[in-house]
Amino acid sequence: MNLNDAIKLLKKKGYKTTGKRKDILNYFEEADGYRTAKDLIQHLESTHEGISFDTIYRNLHLYNEVGILETTELNGEKHFRMNCTSHHHHHFICKDCGKTKEIEVCPMDEVRKSLMNYAIEDHKFEIYGLCPKCQTA
């Protein structure tokens, strides 16, 4: 998903696209990997003096709810990134820097075989570790 797609989706769902909202979306479009609310607020403080965590969390929750951002939990904290909607895939996520690498393998074919009488509604598969750059740091 890109900035224009996100803005169109917000408008379609009946939400306004304020300057702050566009700046938040732009931040995630440019971010390489998952980022925290703290990362976002530090980025926005220079252009939006006095922006509150409440405003940040409210918008992050909204973007996640409408499908613009996806979330994961790293080290007990929620992390966000722009939703990847182009094709089905999963991620390796670096626990230090938050960067991601797509994983094309999906374990669901095997899982479905062992859960034949179950109605699977969704799934998420993530692998956590250190990227090559963080390993050498």
Side-chain angles (χ1 to χ4, degrees):
M1 180 167 295
N2 63 35
L3 180 64
N4 290 332
D5 293 338
I7 289 170
K8 285 177 191 173
L9 183 56
L10 276 178
K11 287 180 180 179
K12 181 180 174 184
K13 299 275 184 175
Y15 295 100
K16 293 179 182 176
T17 51
T18 63
K20 282 181 193 171
R21 285 187 172 166
K22 286 179 184 175
D23 288 348
I24 291 169
L25 291 171
N26 193 49
Y27 172 77
F28 281 103
E29 182 180 47
E30 294 176 2
D32 183 14
Y34 283 91
R35 298 291 173 249
T36 65
K38 285 184 224 172
D39 297 332
L40 176 60
I41 204 163
Q42 286 174 347
H43 173 77
L44 292 177
E45 281 178 331
S46 62
T47 55
H48 297 282
E49 190 177 323
I51 192 165
S52 70
F53 267 105
D54 192 42
T55 298
I56 295 297
Y57 279 109
R58 198 172 44 252
N59 282 289
L60 290 174
H61 178 71
L62 169 66
Y63 295 159
N64 179 244
E65 191 177 284
V66 299
I68 293 170
L69 296 180
E70 56 187 56
T71 66
T72 193
E73 194 159 315
L74 288 171
N75 305 319
E77 186 175 16
K78 239 183 187 174
H79 287 63
F80 302 85
R81 67 171 269 142
M82 196 68 88
N83 200 349
C84 306
T85 56
S86 59
H87 65 284
H88 181 80
H89 64 276
H90 300 284
H91 295 115
F92 169 89
I93 303 167
C94 181
K95 291 174 72 176
D96 275 0
C97 69
K99 289 186 180 179
T100 62
K101 177 165 178 41
E102 285 186 14
I103 303 167
E104 299 299 329
V105 176
C106 180
M108 285 309 294
D109 290 336
E110 288 300 314
V111 171
R112 281 190 179 94
K113 289 177 189 174
S114 64
L115 296 172
M116 294 192 64
N117 295 326
Y118 294 81
I120 298 170
E121 295 179 1
D122 200 3
H123 73 282
K124 187 173 187 176
F125 179 67
E126 297 173 334
I127 298 174
Y128 304 97
L130 299 176
C131 68
K133 187 176 178 181
C134 290
Q135 287 179 56
T136 59

